[in-house]
Amino acid sequence: MILELNDITHQIHSIYTNGFMQTLISCVFFDIFTEMLKSFKQKETSSSVSLFGIAKHSLVVLLIFVLNVYLPLFGFQVYAQGFTLWMVVTYLISIAENWGALGLPLPDAVEKTLIKLKEHTEDKIHIDADVMKVEEKEKVITKEEE
């Protein structure tokens, strides 16, 4: 299959009307905003951490953009939408975690869903249900490991 410039241009134009992409970009901006508020509240602001975070978010958006341009041209529109939806859900979880870390109220359904999701992650992650803050579990060092 040969891709023509007209097809690629049409796909790029269609991304601007894609509801999934609009939702993703909104979630990325709101996630960055809530992360900044959380860092100010916890007094852990750092320009290098902020720059790394913005670069990471930019790369995610660029990756999803490229996937939404090329996958539909090869007949994989469903996969492009699936990747985009997966990233939207990931960002919504991050926003909810930041929201809880700020001490703002979360609906009970959201809080319970996040707790269930976090319980199914790796054993080293612990969630404090009161503030929805992710903390690493303390590792107990035995005498054999010393």
Side-chain angles (χ1 to χ4, degrees):
M1 174 180 197
I2 297 174
L3 296 178
E4 295 183 15
L5 183 59
N6 189 33
D7 295 333
I8 296 172
T9 307
H10 176 70
Q11 274 306 119
I12 291 172
H13 179 68
S14 71
I15 287 176
Y16 292 109
T17 59
N18 184 335
F20 287 133
M21 282 299 292
Q22 292 173 355
T23 304
L24 176 66
I25 291 171
S26 299
C27 286
V28 168
F29 282 123
F30 198 65
D31 186 46
I32 291 171
F33 178 69
T34 56
E35 284 176 5
M36 287 180 6
L37 289 177
K38 182 177 83 170
S39 71
F40 286 132
K41 181 182 180 189
Q42 296 175 348
K43 297 179 180 158
E44 297 176 352
T45 55
S46 168
S47 61
S48 61
V49 172
S50 297
L51 183 61
F52 176 75
I54 290 172
K56 180 182 72 167
H57 294 301
S58 300
L59 286 173
V60 166
V61 170
L62 179 64
L63 173 68
I64 298 298
F65 180 83
V66 169
L67 288 175
N68 276 281
V69 168
Y70 287 102
L71 286 180
L73 292 174
F74 294 108
F76 298 111
Q77 175 74 26
V78 174
Y79 294 109
Q81 291 176 346
F83 283 125
T84 308
L85 184 60
W86 176 60
M87 289 309 303
V88 166
V89 169
T90 302
Y91 274 105
L92 288 174
I93 291 170
S94 177
I95 290 166
E97 288 174 347
N98 293 338
W99 191 267
L102 288 169
L104 299 172
L106 282 172
D108 288 338
V110 173
E111 187 173 348
K112 288 177 184 177
T113 303
L114 285 174
I115 290 172
K116 284 182 183 178
L117 285 171
K118 289 299 175 184
E119 285 175 353
H120 294 294
T121 59
E122 299 175 19
D123 289 336
K124 68 178 183 175
I125 294 179
H126 167 71
I127 190 158
D128 184 358
D130 293 331
V131 294
M132 299 298 294
K133 183 178 178 183
V134 175
E135 301 171 346
E136 288 188 28
K137 286 186 177 179
E138 294 180 16
K139 183 178 179 182
V140 179
I141 300 174
T142 62
K143 293 190 180 222
E144 295 144 2
E145 293 178 341
E146 292 178 351

